[in-house]
Amino acid sequence: MDPVSTDGRTPATLAVDCGGGGIKASVLDAAGTMHAAPVRAATPYPLPPERLLETIRALAEQLPPADRATVGMPGMIRHGVVVSTPHYVTRAGPRTRVLPELVTAWEGLDFQDALSATLGMPVLLLNDAEVHGAGVIAGAGLELVVTLGTGLGNALFDGGRLAPHLELSRSPARWGLTYDEYIGEHERLRLGDAMWSRRVRQVVDSLRPVFLWDRLYLGGGNSRRITPQAVDRLGDEVVVVPNSAGIVGGVRAWALGGISPSRRP
């Protein structure tokens, strides 16, 4: 496999999108063009930090060399430190039993630094919806990104600058259910796309007076599942975007304000 040519001014970026069910990665140039087909692996469970590090390293070895890496993962990430992660502390994946030893292993971990040591390059670790948002925002006004997949992800940008992360997925939505439980993949499979799409509309309507956004982007793997009828009723300021932004955003994320990547050589 041919390496990506870099000259210091146009670094190649390894972009890794970690989800509840799968992990995918590719290498991109400065324009966000993929220089290799994405490689994928099922998210292994149970998943202590060391196992995720090994999974990402193995994916990176299948790709051309890179100068830096962007990794997006579910949960609340602050300055490269994992405050909480909802799926990776479970025994067998989303909606299974939480293992206390995994909660202890993940919470408070400087996973950005651990990734940098494992990959041998500077790393930027963000919430996966934040990386997704970096790939789609216009950089003007207040822009909210909501990703629909295993659960619900979110990221907020003001004038292109990333705001502190709020974990909406853990907030009550309806009937005592969190947004994760109300709009996640489990409910889509149970309800079917048409009924689930109505829930997406309800979520958009419930969030609109809270954020008063200039633009809302709906992405993630299930955004393509929203029915055309529901899309037509979401509003002119709501845009459905492709899931590929989770990889493409790996380049643009480095230009966001308010973030601090690792600086390992």
Side-chain angles (χ1 to χ4, degrees), residues 55-78:
T55 301
I56 293 173
R57 185 195 62 76
L59 289 175
E61 289 180 346
Q62 302 174 47
L63 293 166
D67 303 294
R68 63 187 187 182
T70 303
V71 178
M73 63 175 282
M76 183 172 285
I77 314 296
R78 290 181 184 156

Side-chain angles (χ1 to χ4, degrees), residues 196-251:
W196 174 81
S197 294
R198 294 183 188 178
R199 287 197 176 184
V200 173
R201 283 181 53 206
Q202 292 170 347
V203 167
V204 170
D205 289 342
S206 70
L207 295 178
R208 183 177 278 112
V210 177
F211 291 95
L212 295 176
W213 54 68
D214 293 298
R215 185 67 57 88
L216 167 66
Y217 302 92
L218 295 178
N222 279 342
S223 62
R224 62 188 176 89
R225 305 279 190 178
I226 306 172
T227 62
Q229 295 84 355
V231 171
D232 290 342
R233 297 178 181 179
L234 288 173
D236 293 338
E237 86 287 5
V238 181
V239 180
V240 179
V241 295
N243 192 39
S244 58
I247 291 291
V248 176
V251 174

Side-chain angles (χ1 to χ4, degrees), residues 130-146:
E130 294 173 343
V131 179
H132 195 103
V136 299
I137 61 169
L142 190 72
E143 299 174 281
L144 178 66
V145 178
V146 169

Side-chain angles (χ1 to χ4, degrees), residues 72-227:
M73 63 175 282
M76 183 172 285
I77 314 296
R78 290 181 184 156
H79 310 294
V81 175
V82 179
V83 178
S84 67
T85 184
H87 309 314
Y88 297 168
V89 297
T90 61
R91 185 177 185 276
R95 303 180 67 86
T96 64
R97 182 167 61 91
V98 171
L99 300 180
E101 61 269 29
L102 289 182
V103 174
T104 300
W106 276 108
E107 290 186 357
L109 174 66
D110 189 338
F111 196 56
Q112 179 171 272
D113 192 63
L115 282 163
S116 186
T118 297
L119 296 172
M121 65 182 79
V123 173
L124 178 61
L125 176 68
L126 295 171
N127 172 274
D128 52 348
E130 294 173 343
V131 179
H132 195 103
V136 299
I137 61 169
L142 190 72
E143 299 174 281
L144 178 66
V145 178
V146 169
T147 55
L148 304 169
T150 302
L152 178 145
N154 63 276
L156 187 65
F157 300 84
D158 184 14
R161 187 178 182 85
L162 180 62
H165 187 66
L166 304 174
E167 193 67 3
L168 291 180
S169 65
R170 315 307 293 170
S171 179
R174 298 186 74 180
W175 309 314
L177 300 175
T178 65
Y179 281 103
D180 260 358
E181 296 165 335
Y182 184 68
I183 206 71
E185 173 68 354
H186 180 272
E187 285 297 278
R188 188 193 69 79
L189 292 173
R190 185 180 73 84
L191 295 170
D193 286 350
M195 186 67 70
W196 174 81
S197 294
R198 294 183 188 178
R199 287 197 176 184
V200 173
R201 283 181 53 206
Q202 292 170 347
V203 167
V204 170
D205 289 342
S206 70
L207 295 178
R208 183 177 278 112
V210 177
F211 291 95
L212 295 176
W213 54 68
D214 293 298
R215 185 67 57 88
L216 167 66
Y217 302 92
L218 295 178
N222 279 342
S223 62
R224 62 188 176 89
R225 305 279 190 178
I226 306 172
T227 62

Side-chain angles (χ1 to χ4, degrees), residues 5-26:
S5 176
T6 61
D7 58 9
R9 291 174 292 127
T10 57
T13 303
L14 169 68
V16 185
D17 185 7
C18 302
I23 301 169
K24 58 181 180 289
S26 188

